Amino acid sequence: MASGDDSPIFEDDESPPYSLEKMTDLVAVWDVALSDGVHKIEFEHGTTSGKRVVYVDGKEEIRKEWMFKLVGKETFYVGAAKTKATINIDAISGFAYEYTLEINGKSLKKYMENRSKTTNTWVLHMDGENFRIVLEKDTMDVWCNGKKLETAGEFVDDGTETHFSIGNHDCYIKAVSSGKRKEGIIHTLIVDNREIPEIAS
């Protein structure tokens, strides 16, 4: 029978002489554009150790060690609106795995295609700073650099205007009918009486 002195090599509160953290099992990285910004999702999958780690914007969200089942799902939330995200882990053949990301139950590709129909995004540089402005067309919420802004809606002769401020700059998003059913409503960002071009999605 072993005495307490010659028991395990590692005590519970001691770490091994080498760092396991440096032995990364990073298998997938995705950039996901949400209203509050672009979020980086990283996934580590240790196929020999059974480790699964999910990072969102560099912050560890999930860590599971010694999982015997190497396939499955990991679900977590991203961004200010706590958007549901799921990483699916599927075996392709032998010890090869496929990793897919779903956002709100849709594949990332489908989600981004749908998002380009439901949002408008503008990027501009003012007062030495970059600003990313996103309009959610279904709710008319306006986001700037990750924060939802206070807005005031107003009806005008040819449509609506959604007014807000960025610093001491007067801004509004003008919504007018295109006159074409397929195009629908055209949204234009105006900052200090100057039109800002939309970025391509």
Side-chain angles (χ1 to χ4, degrees):
M1 186 143 172
S3 72
D5 293 335
D6 55 23
S7 58
I9 298 171
F10 308 118
E11 294 294 324
D12 285 344
D13 53 350
E14 284 183 18
S15 58
Y18 55 89
S19 173
L20 293 175
E21 294 302 314
K22 290 189 174 112
M23 295 170 54
T24 181
D25 291 313
L26 189 66
V27 293
V29 178
W30 298 274
D31 288 321
V32 180
L34 300 177
S35 294
D36 66 336
V38 178
H39 299 277
K40 180 180 278 284
I41 297 172
E42 298 169 289
F43 183 55
E44 289 185 17
H45 187 219
T47 54
T48 53
S49 66
K51 174 178 77 169
R52 296 182 191 176
V53 186
V54 175
Y55 298 95
V56 177
D57 298 326
K59 182 178 170 280
E60 188 175 295
E61 292 295 320
I62 294 174
R63 175 176 288 272
K64 294 181 179 173
E65 304 280 353
W66 306 111
M67 298 207 39
F68 295 107
K69 190 174 180 189
L70 295 177
V71 296
K73 297 178 181 219
E74 293 300 335
T75 299
F76 52 99
Y77 297 89
V78 180
K82 301 287 183 214
T83 303
K84 183 179 174 184
T86 302
I87 296 173
N88 295 302
I89 308 154
D90 297 301
I92 317 176
S93 64
F95 290 102
Y97 296 89
E98 179 179 65
Y99 307 94
T100 54
L101 179 66
E102 291 179 359
I103 305 292
N104 279 343
K106 296 184 174 100
S107 72
L108 181 60
K109 183 176 189 255
K110 280 264 185 253
Y111 178 80
M112 296 314 286
E113 284 170 3
N114 186 53
R115 187 153 177 78
S116 70
K117 294 174 192 162
T118 61
T119 61
N120 290 76
T121 304
W122 297 270
V123 174
L124 64 145
H125 189 80
M126 294 187 301
D127 305 330
E129 237 185 294
N130 287 323
F131 294 93
R132 181 177 182 269
I133 299 167
V134 177
L135 167 68
E136 292 181 349
K137 294 188 235 182
D138 52 351
T139 60
M140 293 305 288
D141 287 339
V142 177
W143 293 75
C144 179
N145 290 359
K147 299 203 180 352
K148 192 156 94 170
L149 300 178
E150 291 290 320
T151 61
E154 178 184 341
F155 287 102
V156 293
D157 288 341
D158 54 351
T160 63
E161 292 178 356
T162 303
H163 292 262
F164 55 96
S165 295
I166 299 175
N168 56 5
H169 298 276
D170 293 324
C171 311
Y172 66 93
I173 296 172
K174 188 171 185 74
V176 296
S177 172
S178 65
K180 297 176 186 145
R181 191 177 171 144
K182 281 204 181 238
E183 283 180 38
I185 296 172
I186 297 171
H187 296 87
T188 308
L189 174 64
I190 311 292
V191 176
D192 296 333
N193 295 314
R194 196 181 91 222
E195 185 176 326
I196 307 299
E198 184 180 358
I199 65 166
S201 352

